[in-house]
Amino acid sequence: MEATLAATRLPPHDPRTPALSVVDMHTGGEPLRIVHAGCPEVAGPTLLAKRRYMRQHLDYVRRRLVFEPRGHRDMYGAVLVRSELPDAHLGVLFLHNEGYSSMCGHAVLALGRFALDFGLVPAPPQGVREAQVNIHCPCGLVAAFVACEGGRSCGPVRFHSVPAFVLAADLTVDVPGHGKVVMDIAYGGAFYAFVSAEKLGLDVCSAKTRDLVEAASTVTEAVKAQFKISHPESEDLGFLYGTILTDGKDAYSEEPTTNICVFADEQVDRSPTGSGVTARIALQYHKGLLQLNQTRAFKSSATGSVFTGRAVREATCGDFKAVIVEVAGQAHYTGTASLTVEDDDPLRDGFLLK
């Protein structure tokens, strides 16, 4: 009994500030901290309005979840909220070191498992080996399909994306230190610049992570300064999330193609990046390098973890020709925690070193 009480008792904390109950997971090495309880209500009639409200009024929650001393500059978070969409099982806001994303594929893969295991969706009938979880992301409704047995998740997860499209192909950007560089801008729930690391004098498979981060960040800032990013359906989605450096192997192959994603404030994705895979599949399909239902494997240069992706059907987004992309990967649980605050702590809302 004493051991049980010790395990559940919270340390001294400010009673006016509820503890944040979290479940930690990772997908291909990329962390996800899911707020299970304790977050104040996020107001707003739509998910995008909730995203704006949280940025304006509850940003301390993001900092306490993501920043040191409870997290680190590459931590990623998810706050579950109610969705206004009748078909959604849950809504989610994605949190990172700079703010709030519109889409996160590695998080969707993890949240599919979490939603089933924690009873946010009904367990499928006996004998059914896959459960569907409809997750309302800021970019739109995403359907996750969770392998399960006996009502519990037991393997990989796949999801079907929002319409993914190419905003600009073969765009020439003047990148400081590298001259004029040809790249692509594509959308997979978030916008990314895609460029072969070789064009920047780097090998994505062997270069130091610091060098890749600096090069990718330089590209991101150059694109932001020289090219206007806009989404045909929502101003909230019209921003460049980051840059993905690739090995340049865009033509179809059964061998994995390697990339690394640097997003937000030089945050490095440890996974192959689910929304990046989505956008890269759309880009390869747009260029005629990939057919519908051809599966490609994408490898993270950071951890070696692998996602797969394929374009499952054509779609549209505004006037853009688009595709719905299926991305698959494996998420794992890593623990639980109760994050508390003491009222006299000068670092209560966290900090980052750079």
Side-chain angles (χ1 to χ4, degrees):
M1 175 64 75
E2 290 181 359
T4 301
L5 288 174
T8 58
R9 184 183 298 135
L10 292 176
H13 65 284
D14 183 354
R16 298 166 298 179
T17 305
L20 292 171
S21 177
V22 301
V23 173
D24 281 354
M25 303 183 71
H26 82 89
T27 311
E30 179 68 358
L32 182 67
R33 176 162 285 170
I34 304 165
V35 180
H36 189 38
C39 182
E41 182 179 357
V42 184
T46 67
L47 191 67
L48 287 174
K50 287 180 170 66
R51 181 169 172 260
R52 291 190 293 270
Y53 181 91
M54 186 150 191
R55 181 190 294 121
Q56 295 167 7
H57 302 287
L58 299 174
D59 196 55
Y60 66 88
V61 174
R62 176 186 67 88
R63 298 196 302 271
R64 291 175 185 175
L65 284 169
V66 172
F67 287 8
E68 294 185 54
R70 302 172 188 88
H72 52 84
R73 66 173 298 103
D74 293 314
M75 177 58 78
Y76 208 96
V79 170
L80 305 185
V81 297
R82 293 180 181 177
S83 168
E84 74 274 15
L85 301 182
D87 293 335
H89 293 113
L90 65 147
V92 60
L93 300 177
F94 301 121
L95 324 176
H96 51 70
N97 70 9
E98 191 177 52
Y100 302 83
S101 176
S102 53
M103 173 58 185
C104 181
H106 93 273
V108 166
L109 294 171
L111 285 168
R113 289 196 67 191
F114 175 85
L116 179 62
D117 294 335
F118 282 75
L120 302 184
V121 296
Q126 188 69 26
V128 175
R129 301 300 299 273
E130 191 173 64
Q132 181 171 336
V133 182
N134 295 331
I135 302 173
H136 187 189
C137 305
C139 64
L141 191 64
V142 175
F145 303 91
V146 185
C148 59
E149 186 172 352
R152 299 295 296 267
S153 67
C154 65
V157 180
R158 58 191 178 93
F159 70 80
H160 285 182
S161 72
V162 296
F165 61 90
V166 176
L167 182 65
D170 300 320
L171 177 71
T172 299
V173 177
D174 191 358
V175 180
H178 301 282
K180 296 187 181 301
V181 179
V182 177
M183 62 189 69
D184 305 294
I185 311 294
Y187 178 81
F191 285 103
Y192 296 96
F194 291 89
V195 59
S196 170
E198 186 177 14
K199 294 181 180 180
L200 305 174
L202 297 168
D203 183 336
V204 75
C205 298
S206 62
K208 293 181 179 179
T209 301
R210 183 69 256 170
D211 293 337
L212 294 170
V213 169
E214 290 179 356
S217 299
T218 301
V219 170
T220 296
E221 293 308 310
V223 173
K224 287 180 177 179
Q226 299 171 45
F227 184 77
K228 179 176 175 56
I229 303 290
S230 60
H231 189 278
E233 296 181 349
S234 173
E235 292 183 4
D236 289 84
L237 306 178
F239 63 94
L240 186 69
Y241 191 30
T243 292
I244 295 180
L245 303 180
T246 77
D247 59 7
K249 298 177 181 178
D250 293 323
Y252 176 73
S253 170
E254 293 184 357
E255 295 297 316
T257 174
T258 300
N259 56 228
I260 189 170
C261 176
V262 181
F263 64 99
D265 184 10
E266 298 189 343
Q267 191 160 339
V268 180
D269 196 334
R270 274 71 169 157
S271 80
T273 309
S275 56
V277 167
T278 301
R280 204 169 167 205
I281 286 285
L283 180 61
Q284 292 174 3
Y285 185 78
H286 174 85
K287 292 188 172 186
L289 302 174
L290 196 67
Q291 299 177 5
L292 288 179
N293 293 309
Q294 276 190 313
T295 299
R296 286 218 68 183
F298 297 82
K299 184 178 180 180
S300 164
S301 74
T303 62
S305 59
V306 175
F307 289 171
T308 60
R310 64 188 179 106
V312 294
R313 65 179 183 276
E314 293 183 337
T316 59
C317 186
D319 294 331
F320 290 94
K321 293 182 179 179
V323 286
I324 302 299
V325 177
E326 180 180 280
V327 177
Q330 176 71 63
H332 293 91
Y333 293 100
T334 57
T336 61
S338 294
L339 307 182
T340 59
V341 167
E342 290 193 275
D343 58 3
D344 62 345
D345 183 355
L347 300 176
R348 58 189 291 150
D349 290 338
F351 62 92
L352 287 180
L353 297 181
K354 188 172 183 180

PDB file of all heavy atoms in Angstrom, residues 25 65 99 105 111 115 121 152 164-165 179 193 195 198 207 216 220 225 241 250 277 291 298 301 319 328 332:
ATOM      1  N   MET A  25       5.517   9.068 -26.028  1.00  0.00           N
ATOM      2  CA  MET A  25       5.691   8.063 -27.070  1.00  0.00           C
ATOM      3  C   MET A  25       6.805   8.520 -28.004  1.00  0.00           C
ATOM      4  O   MET A  25       7.294   9.646 -27.905  1.00  0.00           O
ATOM      5  CB  MET A  25       4.388   7.864 -27.862  1.00  0.00           C
ATOM      6  CG  MET A  25       3.188   7.479 -27.025  1.00  0.00           C
ATOM      7  SD  MET A  25       1.681   7.179 -28.003  1.00  0.00           S
ATOM      8  CE  MET A  25       2.086   5.628 -28.826  1.00  0.00           C
ATOM      9  N   LEU A  65       5.586  22.023 -21.433  1.00  0.00           N
ATOM     10  CA  LEU A  65       5.665  20.680 -21.999  1.00  0.00           C
ATOM     11  C   LEU A  65       6.954  20.435 -22.766  1.00  0.00           C
ATOM     12  O   LEU A  65       7.561  19.367 -22.668  1.00  0.00           O
ATOM     13  CB  LEU A  65       4.487  20.444 -22.950  1.00  0.00           C
ATOM     14  CG  LEU A  65       3.118  20.171 -22.352  1.00  0.00           C
ATOM     15  CD1 LEU A  65       2.069  20.243 -23.447  1.00  0.00           C
ATOM     16  CD2 LEU A  65       3.086  18.815 -21.681  1.00  0.00           C
ATOM     17  N   GLY A  99       6.349  27.033 -31.769  1.00  0.00           N
ATOM     18  CA  GLY A  99       4.925  27.358 -31.748  1.00  0.00           C
ATOM     19  C   GLY A  99       4.050  26.169 -32.057  1.00  0.00           C
ATOM     20  O   GLY A  99       4.137  25.122 -31.392  1.00  0.00           O
ATOM     21  N   GLY A 105       2.814  14.086 -38.961  1.00  0.00           N
ATOM     22  CA  GLY A 105       2.563  12.689 -39.291  1.00  0.00           C
ATOM     23  C   GLY A 105       3.026  11.725 -38.228  1.00  0.00           C
ATOM     24  O   GLY A 105       2.332  10.747 -37.918  1.00  0.00           O
ATOM     25  N   LEU A 111      -0.747   8.890 -32.099  1.00  0.00           N
ATOM     26  CA  LEU A 111      -2.076   9.161 -31.549  1.00  0.00           C
ATOM     27  C   LEU A 111      -3.094   8.094 -31.951  1.00  0.00           C
ATOM     28  O   LEU A 111      -4.058   7.853 -31.225  1.00  0.00           O
ATOM     29  CB  LEU A 111      -2.563  10.531 -32.007  1.00  0.00           C
ATOM     30  CG  LEU A 111      -1.903  11.729 -31.305  1.00  0.00           C
ATOM     31  CD1 LEU A 111      -2.234  13.019 -32.040  1.00  0.00           C
ATOM     32  CD2 LEU A 111      -2.340  11.814 -29.846  1.00  0.00           C
ATOM     33  N   ALA A 115      -5.223   6.665 -28.991  1.00  0.00           N
ATOM     34  CA  ALA A 115      -6.678   6.810 -28.979  1.00  0.00           C
ATOM     35  C   ALA A 115      -7.371   5.471 -28.761  1.00  0.00           C
ATOM     36  O   ALA A 115      -8.364   5.376 -28.026  1.00  0.00           O
ATOM     37  CB  ALA A 115      -7.156   7.448 -30.280  1.00  0.00           C
ATOM     38  N   VAL A 121     -11.668   5.908 -28.740  1.00  0.00           N
ATOM     39  CA  VAL A 121     -12.503   5.350 -29.802  1.00  0.00           C
ATOM     40  C   VAL A 121     -12.961   3.968 -29.348  1.00  0.00           C
ATOM     41  O   VAL A 121     -12.271   3.302 -28.556  1.00  0.00           O
ATOM     42  CB  VAL A 121     -11.747   5.242 -31.145  1.00  0.00           C
ATOM     43  CG1 VAL A 121     -11.354   6.614 -31.656  1.00  0.00           C
ATOM     44  CG2 VAL A 121     -10.513   4.352 -31.013  1.00  0.00           C
ATOM     45  N   ARG A 152      -6.733  -3.890 -28.436  1.00  0.00           N
ATOM     46  CA  ARG A 152      -5.545  -3.102 -28.133  1.00  0.00           C
ATOM     47  C   ARG A 152      -4.645  -3.020 -29.353  1.00  0.00           C
ATOM     48  O   ARG A 152      -4.576  -3.941 -30.165  1.00  0.00           O
ATOM     49  CB  ARG A 152      -4.765  -3.724 -26.962  1.00  0.00           C
ATOM     50  CG  ARG A 152      -5.545  -3.814 -25.654  1.00  0.00           C
ATOM     51  CD  ARG A 152      -5.870  -2.433 -25.106  1.00  0.00           C
ATOM     52  NE  ARG A 152      -4.658  -1.694 -24.747  1.00  0.00           N
ATOM     53  CZ  ARG A 152      -4.134  -1.703 -23.527  1.00  0.00           C
ATOM     54  NH1 ARG A 152      -4.690  -2.434 -22.549  1.00  0.00           N
ATOM     55  NH2 ARG A 152      -3.054  -1.003 -23.258  1.00  0.00           N
ATOM     56  N   ALA A 164      -2.485  16.475 -50.779  1.00  0.00           N
ATOM     57  CA  ALA A 164      -1.097  16.937 -50.821  1.00  0.00           C
ATOM     58  C   ALA A 164      -0.778  17.393 -52.239  1.00  0.00           C
ATOM     59  O   ALA A 164      -1.176  16.743 -53.214  1.00  0.00           O
ATOM     60  CB  ALA A 164      -0.161  15.820 -50.381  1.00  0.00           C
ATOM     61  N   PHE A 165      -0.025  18.493 -52.360  1.00  0.00           N
ATOM     62  CA  PHE A 165       0.202  19.056 -53.697  1.00  0.00           C
ATOM     63  C   PHE A 165       1.530  19.789 -53.748  1.00  0.00           C
ATOM     64  O   PHE A 165       2.160  20.066 -52.718  1.00  0.00           O
ATOM     65  CB  PHE A 165      -0.941  19.996 -54.080  1.00  0.00           C
ATOM     66  CG  PHE A 165      -1.117  21.177 -53.167  1.00  0.00           C
ATOM     67  CD1 PHE A 165      -0.452  22.375 -53.392  1.00  0.00           C
ATOM     68  CD2 PHE A 165      -1.949  21.097 -52.051  1.00  0.00           C
ATOM     69  CE1 PHE A 165      -0.605  23.467 -52.553  1.00  0.00           C
ATOM     70  CE2 PHE A 165      -2.114  22.186 -51.200  1.00  0.00           C
ATOM     71  CZ  PHE A 165      -1.436  23.376 -51.455  1.00  0.00           C
ATOM     72  N   GLY A 179      24.761  30.323 -53.483  1.00  0.00           N
ATOM     73  CA  GLY A 179      24.335  30.823 -54.780  1.00  0.00           C
ATOM     74  C   GLY A 179      22.914  30.426 -55.108  1.00  0.00           C
ATOM     75  O   GLY A 179      22.088  30.180 -54.220  1.00  0.00           O
ATOM     76  N   ALA A 193      10.273  23.080 -48.059  1.00  0.00           N
ATOM     77  CA  ALA A 193      11.195  23.190 -49.188  1.00  0.00           C
ATOM     78  C   ALA A 193      11.977  21.883 -49.270  1.00  0.00           C
ATOM     79  O   ALA A 193      12.437  21.362 -48.237  1.00  0.00           O
ATOM     80  CB  ALA A 193      12.140  24.367 -48.983  1.00  0.00           C
ATOM     81  N   VAL A 195      15.218  19.985 -51.135  1.00  0.00           N
ATOM     82  CA  VAL A 195      16.429  20.195 -51.925  1.00  0.00           C
ATOM     83  C   VAL A 195      17.402  19.054 -51.647  1.00  0.00           C
ATOM     84  O   VAL A 195      17.512  18.570 -50.510  1.00  0.00           O
ATOM     85  CB  VAL A 195      17.071  21.566 -51.606  1.00  0.00           C
ATOM     86  CG1 VAL A 195      17.441  21.679 -50.140  1.00  0.00           C
ATOM     87  CG2 VAL A 195      18.260  21.836 -52.497  1.00  0.00           C
ATOM     88  N   GLU A 198      23.219  17.431 -51.759  1.00  0.00           N
ATOM     89  CA  GLU A 198      24.403  17.529 -52.619  1.00  0.00           C
ATOM     90  C   GLU A 198      24.533  18.927 -53.229  1.00  0.00           C
ATOM     91  O   GLU A 198      25.646  19.427 -53.430  1.00  0.00           O
ATOM     92  CB  GLU A 198      24.315  16.470 -53.722  1.00  0.00           C
ATOM     93  CG  GLU A 198      25.555  16.369 -54.592  1.00  0.00           C
ATOM     94  CD  GLU A 198      25.433  15.266 -55.623  1.00  0.00           C
ATOM     95  OE1 GLU A 198      24.316  14.766 -55.831  1.00  0.00           O
ATOM     96  OE2 GLU A 198      26.474  14.919 -56.238  1.00  0.00           O
ATOM     97  N   ALA A 207      26.965  13.517 -43.416  1.00  0.00           N
ATOM     98  CA  ALA A 207      27.356  14.826 -42.893  1.00  0.00           C
ATOM     99  C   ALA A 207      26.981  14.949 -41.422  1.00  0.00           C
ATOM    100  O   ALA A 207      26.067  14.288 -40.926  1.00  0.00           O
ATOM    101  CB  ALA A 207      26.685  15.937 -43.693  1.00  0.00           C
ATOM    102  N   ALA A 216      20.033  23.613 -43.916  1.00  0.00           N
ATOM    103  CA  ALA A 216      18.574  23.600 -44.071  1.00  0.00           C
ATOM    104  C   ALA A 216      17.961  24.900 -43.561  1.00  0.00           C
ATOM    105  O   ALA A 216      17.031  25.447 -44.185  1.00  0.00           O
ATOM    106  CB  ALA A 216      17.983  22.400 -43.339  1.00  0.00           C
ATOM    107  N   THR A 220      15.614  27.617 -45.525  1.00  0.00           N
ATOM    108  CA  THR A 220      14.298  28.041 -45.026  1.00  0.00           C
ATOM    109  C   THR A 220      14.187  29.563 -45.006  1.00  0.00           C
ATOM    110  O   THR A 220      13.193  30.137 -45.481  1.00  0.00           O
ATOM    111  CB  THR A 220      14.056  27.474 -43.617  1.00  0.00           C
ATOM    112  OG1 THR A 220      14.001  26.045 -43.687  1.00  0.00           O
ATOM    113  CG2 THR A 220      12.746  27.989 -43.042  1.00  0.00           C
ATOM    114  N   ALA A 225      12.146  34.677 -47.472  1.00  0.00           N
ATOM    115  CA  ALA A 225      12.432  36.038 -47.911  1.00  0.00           C
ATOM    116  C   ALA A 225      12.105  36.262 -49.393  1.00  0.00           C
ATOM    117  O   ALA A 225      11.808  37.388 -49.797  1.00  0.00           O
ATOM    118  CB  ALA A 225      13.899  36.369 -47.652  1.00  0.00           C
ATOM    119  N   TYR A 241       7.059  25.536 -43.100  1.00  0.00           N
ATOM    120  CA  TYR A 241       7.327  24.871 -41.824  1.00  0.00           C
ATOM    121  C   TYR A 241       8.802  24.538 -41.664  1.00  0.00           C
ATOM    122  O   TYR A 241       9.336  24.547 -40.550  1.00  0.00           O
ATOM    123  CB  TYR A 241       6.478  23.609 -41.744  1.00  0.00           C
ATOM    124  CG  TYR A 241       6.428  22.929 -40.401  1.00  0.00           C
ATOM    125  CD1 TYR A 241       6.543  23.638 -39.213  1.00  0.00           C
ATOM    126  CD2 TYR A 241       6.234  21.544 -40.314  1.00  0.00           C
ATOM    127  CE1 TYR A 241       6.472  23.003 -37.986  1.00  0.00           C
ATOM    128  CE2 TYR A 241       6.158  20.906 -39.096  1.00  0.00           C
ATOM    129  CZ  TYR A 241       6.286  21.632 -37.934  1.00  0.00           C
ATOM    130  OH  TYR A 241       6.217  21.004 -36.718  1.00  0.00           O
ATOM    131  N   ASP A 250      14.980  10.630 -56.161  1.00  0.00           N
ATOM    132  CA  ASP A 250      13.534  10.804 -56.271  1.00  0.00           C
ATOM    133  C   ASP A 250      12.876   9.817 -57.219  1.00  0.00           C
ATOM    134  O   ASP A 250      11.663   9.574 -57.119  1.00  0.00           O
ATOM    135  CB  ASP A 250      13.219  12.237 -56.716  1.00  0.00           C
ATOM    136  CG  ASP A 250      13.584  13.257 -55.652  1.00  0.00           C
ATOM    137  OD1 ASP A 250      13.407  12.954 -54.459  1.00  0.00           O
ATOM    138  OD2 ASP A 250      14.048  14.347 -56.017  1.00  0.00           O
ATOM    139  N   VAL A 277       7.038  13.060 -45.754  1.00  0.00           N
ATOM    140  CA  VAL A 277       6.842  11.930 -46.661  1.00  0.00           C
ATOM    141  C   VAL A 277       5.612  12.166 -47.537  1.00  0.00           C
ATOM    142  O   VAL A 277       5.634  11.924 -48.749  1.00  0.00           O
ATOM    143  CB  VAL A 277       6.711  10.614 -45.870  1.00  0.00           C
ATOM    144  CG1 VAL A 277       6.187   9.485 -46.760  1.00  0.00           C
ATOM    145  CG2 VAL A 277       8.050  10.221 -45.260  1.00  0.00           C
ATOM    146  N   GLN A 291       3.873   6.253 -59.602  1.00  0.00           N
ATOM    147  CA  GLN A 291       2.494   5.996 -60.000  1.00  0.00           C
ATOM    148  C   GLN A 291       1.638   5.780 -58.760  1.00  0.00           C
ATOM    149  O   GLN A 291       2.145   5.593 -57.654  1.00  0.00           O
ATOM    150  CB  GLN A 291       2.425   4.768 -60.912  1.00  0.00           C
ATOM    151  CG  GLN A 291       3.207   4.911 -62.214  1.00  0.00           C
ATOM    152  CD  GLN A 291       3.166   3.650 -63.052  1.00  0.00           C
ATOM    153  OE1 GLN A 291       2.482   2.684 -62.708  1.00  0.00           O
ATOM    154  NE2 GLN A 291       3.903   3.641 -64.155  1.00  0.00           N
ATOM    155  N   PHE A 298      11.091   5.602 -46.959  1.00  0.00           N
ATOM    156  CA  PHE A 298      11.823   6.824 -46.636  1.00  0.00           C
ATOM    157  C   PHE A 298      12.568   6.618 -45.322  1.00  0.00           C
ATOM    158  O   PHE A 298      11.969   6.257 -44.320  1.00  0.00           O
ATOM    159  CB  PHE A 298      10.859   8.006 -46.532  1.00  0.00           C
ATOM    160  CG  PHE A 298      10.156   8.314 -47.828  1.00  0.00           C
ATOM    161  CD1 PHE A 298       9.031   7.606 -48.208  1.00  0.00           C
ATOM    162  CD2 PHE A 298      10.637   9.301 -48.675  1.00  0.00           C
ATOM    163  CE1 PHE A 298       8.390   7.869 -49.402  1.00  0.00           C
ATOM    164  CE2 PHE A 298       9.998   9.576 -49.871  1.00  0.00           C
ATOM    165  CZ  PHE A 298       8.873   8.864 -50.238  1.00  0.00           C
ATOM    166  N   SER A 301      17.927  10.098 -41.865  1.00  0.00           N
ATOM    167  CA  SER A 301      19.386  10.086 -41.744  1.00  0.00           C
ATOM    168  C   SER A 301      19.816  10.256 -40.290  1.00  0.00           C
ATOM    169  O   SER A 301      20.966   9.999 -39.946  1.00  0.00           O
ATOM    170  CB  SER A 301      20.006  11.195 -42.595  1.00  0.00           C
ATOM    171  OG  SER A 301      19.814  12.470 -42.020  1.00  0.00           O
ATOM    172  N   ASP A 319      -7.266  25.069 -56.741  1.00  0.00           N
ATOM    173  CA  ASP A 319      -6.986  24.819 -58.159  1.00  0.00           C
ATOM    174  C   ASP A 319      -5.819  23.871 -58.369  1.00  0.00           C
ATOM    175  O   ASP A 319      -5.445  23.588 -59.512  1.00  0.00           O
ATOM    176  CB  ASP A 319      -6.692  26.151 -58.866  1.00  0.00           C
ATOM    177  CG  ASP A 319      -7.905  27.076 -58.925  1.00  0.00           C
ATOM    178  OD1 ASP A 319      -9.033  26.546 -58.950  1.00  0.00           O
ATOM    179  OD2 ASP A 319      -7.708  28.302 -58.938  1.00  0.00           O
ATOM    180  N   ALA A 328       2.872   5.048 -43.467  1.00  0.00           N
ATOM    181  CA  ALA A 328       2.847   4.007 -42.438  1.00  0.00           C
ATOM    182  C   ALA A 328       4.141   4.014 -41.646  1.00  0.00           C
ATOM    183  O   ALA A 328       5.225   4.278 -42.179  1.00  0.00           O
ATOM    184  CB  ALA A 328       2.625   2.629 -43.067  1.00  0.00           C
ATOM    185  N   HIS A 332       5.859   3.790 -30.480  1.00  0.00           N
ATOM    186  CA  HIS A 332       6.039   3.041 -29.239  1.00  0.00           C
ATOM    187  C   HIS A 332       5.818   3.952 -28.040  1.00  0.00           C
ATOM    188  O   HIS A 332       6.123   5.146 -28.079  1.00  0.00           O
ATOM    189  CB  HIS A 332       7.451   2.451 -29.157  1.00  0.00           C
ATOM    190  CG  HIS A 332       7.724   1.388 -30.168  1.00  0.00           C
ATOM    191  ND1 HIS A 332       8.255   1.666 -31.413  1.00  0.00           N
ATOM    192  CD2 HIS A 332       7.544   0.044 -30.131  1.00  0.00           C
ATOM    193  CE1 HIS A 332       8.387   0.539 -32.100  1.00  0.00           C
ATOM    194  NE2 HIS A 332       7.966  -0.453 -31.343  1.00  0.00           N
TER     195      HIS A 332
END
